[in-house]
C-alpha cells in the first residue's frame, strides 16, 4: 500500500487521497485490535460483545444463534488465554509492523532518513517472523474456523513469510523494484487482517440474523478480506510498475 508521497506524479489526487485514507483507516483498525487483545488478552472479544448487541438491537436485528453466543465467545477467547505467549508474540509485533511498514514506502522518509529506513526494515523482518510463525501456530493447530481457516492461514501466512523473504533477497541483490513489489504484497497481507475485521463486522450484521453460523462468517470474512486486499495490491503493483521503474533508485516506491 502506498503513501500519499509515493504516488506517481500523474495519479489522480482523489485516488491518492482515497488510498491514503484507506491505509490510515486499516492501520488504525489493526493497531486498535492488537492493543485491545494486548490489554484484555483473555477476553477481548467477550468485552466487545455488548457493543455488538447494541448495534444489532438498534438495527432491529436478532442473532439466530444468540443462545449459543456465550459458548462461542468463550471458545474464541479461550485459545488466546490458553496460549498467552503465542498471542503476545503475534499481536505486539503485529501492531508494530502495521505502524512501521507504511513509513517504509515513503520516498520522503527514505531520502531524508535512510538509516531509519534500514533499521526499521530490520525490525520489520524480525517482527514479521514473529507474526508469521505465531499465526501458523494459532491458525493451524487451533483454528476457530476449522479447516477453512487453517487452509487460509497456511496460504496467506505462508505467502506473508515468503514475500518478506523474497523482499530481503531482492534488496540484498540491490534489486529495488522487486524489493518494493514483495514488500507491498507482505504489507497487503498484514493490513488485510483489518479488511478481514471490517468485512467480518459487515457479514456478522447481515448473516447472523438469517442463521449463518459464526464460524462460517469468520471463515468467509478471512477469505474475502485477504483476497480483496491482496488483489488490490497486485493491481497497484501492475499499474505502477512501469512508471516506478523509470524513476531513479532513491525514489522508487
Ligand atoms: C501484521 C499485522 C497483524 C496484526 C496487527 C494482527 C492482529 C491479530 C489479533 C489482534 C489477533 C487476535 C484476534 C482477536 O483479538 O480477535 C490475531 C489473531 C490471529 N491472526 Fe493476526 N495479526 C496480524 C497479521 C497476521 C497474519 C499475516 C496472519 C496470517 C496470515 C495472521 C493470522 C492470525 C491468526 C490465525 C489468528 C488467530 C485467529 C483465530 O483463529 O481466532 N495475523 N491477529
Amino acid at each position: 500500500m502506498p503513501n500519499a508521497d509515493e504516488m506517481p506524479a500523474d495519479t489522480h489526487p482523489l485516488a491518492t487521497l482515497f488510498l491514503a485514507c484507506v491505509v490510515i483507516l486499516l492501520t488504525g483498525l489493526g493497531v486498535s485490535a492488537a492493543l485491545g487483545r494486548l490489554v484484555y488478552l483473555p477476553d477481548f472479544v467477550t468485552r466487545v460483545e455488548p457493543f455488538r448487541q447494541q448495534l444489532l438491537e438498534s438495527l432491529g436485528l436478532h442473532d439466530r444463534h444468540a443462545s449459543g453466543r456465550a459458548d462461542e465467545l468463550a471458545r474464541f477467547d479461550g485459545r488466546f488465554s490458553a496460549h498467552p505467549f503465542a498471542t503476545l508474540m503475534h499481536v505486539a509485533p503485529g501492531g508494530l509492523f502495521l505502524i512501521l511498514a507504511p513509513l517504509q514506502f515513503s520516498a520522503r522518509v527514505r531520502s531524508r532518513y535512510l538509516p531509519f529506513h534500514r533499521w526499521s526494515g530490520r525490525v520489520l523482518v524480525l517482527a514479521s517472523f514473529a507474526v508469521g510463525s505465531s499465526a501458523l501456530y494459532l491458525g493451524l493447530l487451533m483454528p476457530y474456523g476449522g479447516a477453512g481457516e487453517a487452509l487460509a492461514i497456511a496460504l496467506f501466512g505462508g505467502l506473508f513469510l515468503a514475500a518478506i523473504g523474497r523482499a530481503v533477497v531482492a534488496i540484498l541483490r540491490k534489486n529495488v523494484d522487486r524489493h518494493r513489489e514483495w514488500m507491498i504484497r507482505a504489507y497487503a497481507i498484514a493490513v488485510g487482517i483489518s479488511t478481514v475485521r471490517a468485512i467480518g463486522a459487515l457479514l456478522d450484521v447481515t448473516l447472523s440474523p438469517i442463521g449463518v453460523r459464526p464460524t462460517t462468517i469468520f471463515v468467509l470474512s478471512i477469505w474475502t478480506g485477504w483476497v480483496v486486499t491482496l488483489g488490490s495490491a497486485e493491481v497497484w503493483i501492475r499499474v505502477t510498475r512501469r512508471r516506478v521503474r523509470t524513476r531513479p533508485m532513491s525514489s522508487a516506491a
Side-chain angles (χ1 to χ4, degrees), residues 35 45 58 63 69 118 138 155 186 190 195 204 214-215 233 245:
L35 277 178
V45 168
S58 65
D63 179 358
R69 187 73 188 166
R118 288 184 174 145
L138 292 166
L155 176 65
T195 320
D204 183 30
T215 42
R245 280 189 181 170

Side-chain angles (χ1 to χ4, degrees), residues 30-31 33-35 37 44-45 76-77 79-80 87 90-91 93-95 97-98 131-132 134-136 138-140 142-145 149 152-153 156-158 160 189-191 193 197 218 226:
V31 172
L35 277 178
R37 183 56 74 180
F44 177 52
V45 168
F76 187 82
D77 277 337
R79 289 156 320 123
F80 300 115
T87 306
H90 188 73
V91 299
F97 188 99
L98 288 185
V131 169
S134 53
L136 294 177
L138 292 166
L140 297 187
M142 60 204 86
Y144 168 74
E149 176 185 348
I153 298 305
F156 294 106
F160 177 68
I189 295 172
V191 88
I193 207 81
R197 277 165 207 286
F218 186 73
W226 265 320

Side-chain angles (χ1 to χ4, degrees), residues 52 63 65 68-69 72 75 144-145 204 208 211-221:
R52 173 183 178 269
D63 179 358
H65 293 286
R69 187 73 188 166
E72 208 65 57
R75 196 163 77 78
Y144 168 74
D204 183 30
S208 297
V212 180
R213 297 191 57 78
T215 42
T216 309
I217 294 176
F218 186 73
V219 172
L220 270 178
S221 59

